[in-house]
Amino acid sequence: MPQSNPLPHKIAPVADELGELFAARGHELALVGGSVRDILLGRAGNDLDLTTDARPERVLELVKDWADSVWTIGIDFGTVGVRKGGWLLEITTYRSESYDPKSRKPEVVYGETLEADLARRDFAVNAMAVRLPAHEFVDPYGGVSDLSARLLRTPATPEQSFGDDPLRMLRAARFAAQLGFTVAPETVAAMTEMAERIEIVSAERIRDELDKLICGAQPRAGLTLLVETGLAARVLPELPKLRLEIDEHHRHKDVYEHTLTVLDQAMAQEEDGKADRVLRWSALMHDVGKPKTRRHEAAGRVSFHHHEVVGAQLTRKRMTELRFPKDIVADVSQLVELHLRFHGYGTGEWTDSAVRRYVRDAGHLLDRLHKLTRADCTTRNKRKAAALSRTYDQLEERIARLAEQEELAKIRPELDGNDIQRILGVGPGPVIGRAYKFLLDLRLDKGVIGAEAAEAALLEWARGQK
């Protein structure tokens, strides 16, 4: 039902201008959903969501001379994208959508009224609208009250809402992480009861929600909700598996709680308040190899030998199945595999060669590896934590000194492939790769020795080859 407008003077002029254009042509237009919610929360950006009774083809006709550019990537779902100046607008035709029990894609059916469109929205805080250009506020499901209470409820029954689109269950966890909202008890109950329905949703849509959750302000809240409702067991099963049973003597950590703490501590090291996707996923996945490598040793001890290697494999498999870009998969997996390397440093016993190898293996991920390694210290023993921190400070200082001496981040053999072919008198082939590796190891072990000495070493190495 119409409400008094709580958004005076907060509607972007570009939205009013577009509303007047649609009204002049006999069509309705309203600012809707997340845009209204974010304006009320004081966090609006330059992206606006709008809804209309006009069909997508008609929307294209209406905006073609008004917009700076138009895109139609979402037109099959009733959405037309528009850029006007610095504003990005998505205009979606009134609709309702639902899943066939065996389908991964929603079936889109266009609606006729704004009120019916709002009824299909995921949560009441996203089921508010402002008609344009009149600025008539529409809030049929108490979204303003829920926003004030920081509560997530569904407009319809949660069972009906999640039946229409099971992805909304993940979206509830995502909003808990992004906005710090509490999910209503009946909504949590429905998420728990209907968790298996998430399996009909495509991997790409699940990935997008999980990624937004991880990059939210409070990912711990969203992840906890996923684990408690059983959704995590279906979309990110490695996480609940970390809830290892603590032995009777309480001699090893709850790996699940440890992981959430590492994630919190990794976030605390992010710069400029920007979420570091690779760092956060690495923190979340760094110990997922522990359940498979857990062994009970003598005297009640528990070991997890090589869990970093197993964890890297599991991370690569999960993130690939979720259709993450290959570079993200590679970076996160590499950080998981490297996260224990520092503990071989002891109290500083590494040679300069070992430090060079540490830097070389980390490559462009060195800064993130520093942060992940520091975040992985969750001991409550202040003396032990301080000692670990000092030791890592010392390692970073050694890296910095070596970098000043020899541009450590750009380590290359002193002879390249062309030099190797010339000196050995051979053409391209496997021997060049073996020779290059020998020279790289020499560079790491000895530092800069000069091209003449490197050539002599190469020839000596070649004499020992078959």
Side-chain angles (χ1 to χ4, degrees), residues 189-201:
M191 291 167 66
T192 305
E193 181 67 26
M194 301 176 68
E196 65 177 340
R197 281 281 286 163
I198 198 65
E199 294 180 1
I200 72 168
V201 181

Side-chain angles (χ1 to χ4, degrees), residues 4 102 140 172 189 191 196 275 281 338 350 356:
S4 60
K102 297 180 180 180
M191 291 167 66
E196 65 177 340
W281 275 100
L338 291 175
W350 277 1
R356 292 188 189 101

Side-chain angles (χ1 to χ4, degrees), residues 50-320:
L50 301 113
T51 188
T52 179
D53 62 341
R55 297 295 191 260
E57 296 77 13
R58 178 61 173 157
V59 173
L60 288 174
E61 293 177 10
L62 293 171
V63 302
K64 66 179 181 180
D65 295 326
W66 177 82
D68 295 333
S69 62
V70 176
W71 61 95
T72 59
I73 191 171
I75 199 165
D76 289 344
F77 298 98
T79 300
V80 173
V82 170
R83 183 177 65 81
K84 181 70 171 179
W87 296 90
L88 298 177
L89 304 93
E90 288 196 345
I91 308 167
T92 302
T93 303
Y94 297 156
R95 68 187 187 190
S96 60
E97 60 186 32
S98 62
Y99 276 84
D100 180 277
K102 297 180 180 180
S103 172
R104 286 181 177 269
K105 295 183 178 180
E107 178 185 355
V108 176
V109 178
Y110 294 131
E112 300 298 330
T113 67
L114 174 60
E115 287 75 13
D117 181 83
L118 294 177
R120 72 161 187 89
R121 301 274 165 170
D122 51 7
F123 302 105
V125 294
N126 295 329
M128 299 178 285
V130 178
R131 294 185 187 274
L132 300 172
H135 288 197
E136 176 191 336
F137 186 64
V138 183
D139 181 19
Y141 300 104
V144 168
S145 297
D146 285 0
L147 207 60
S148 178
R150 306 184 71 78
L151 181 70
L152 286 177
R153 291 183 307 109
T154 55
T157 66
E159 291 78 10
Q160 180 181 341
S161 182
F162 299 152
D164 287 345
D165 185 355
L167 190 70
R168 292 171 177 172
M169 295 186 287
L170 292 191
R171 204 170 289 151
R174 190 245 290 182
F175 284 133
Q178 284 184 325
L179 304 175
F181 283 16
T182 299
V183 182
E186 67 274 14
T187 305
V188 174
M191 291 167 66
T192 305
E193 181 67 26
M194 301 176 68
E196 65 177 340
R197 281 281 286 163
I198 198 65
E199 294 180 1
I200 72 168
V201 181
S202 70
E204 291 83 357
R205 297 183 77 207
I206 290 173
R207 172 204 63 209
D208 289 347
E209 290 300 325
L210 288 176
D211 197 45
K212 290 175 183 176
L213 185 161
I214 294 297
C215 292
Q218 302 176 45
R220 175 190 281 264
L223 293 169
T224 299
L225 183 59
L226 290 182
V227 170
E228 291 177 350
T229 58
L231 282 161
R234 300 178 184 277
V235 299
L236 195 63
E238 293 77 11
L239 183 60
K241 285 180 181 178
L242 294 177
R243 293 189 297 179
L244 301 173
E245 180 182 355
I246 299 177
D247 63 272
E248 62 181 351
H249 302 293
H250 299 275
R251 285 179 176 162
H252 80 270
K253 302 172 186 175
D254 179 334
V255 183
Y256 170 70
E257 282 299 326
H258 163 74
T259 294
L260 296 182
T261 301
V262 171
L263 176 57
D264 289 339
Q265 295 184 168
M267 290 169 56
Q269 299 179 71
E270 291 173 337
E271 299 170 5
D272 302 324
K274 294 180 180 178
D276 185 332
R277 171 176 287 101
V278 169
L279 177 62
R280 291 192 184 196
W281 275 100
S282 302
L284 182 66
M285 304 297 285
H286 80 284
D287 272 349
V288 296
K290 280 191 171 180
K292 276 196 171 185
T293 58
R294 186 184 189 204
R295 298 290 183 272
H296 291 280
E297 309 288 356
R301 296 179 61 83
V302 178
S303 68
F304 304 97
H305 295 307
H306 306 300
H307 77 267
E308 73 281 10
V309 177
V310 174
Q313 295 169 348
L314 292 172
T315 297
R316 188 175 295 106
K317 180 175 184 293
R318 175 59 52 204
M319 297 191 77
T320 299

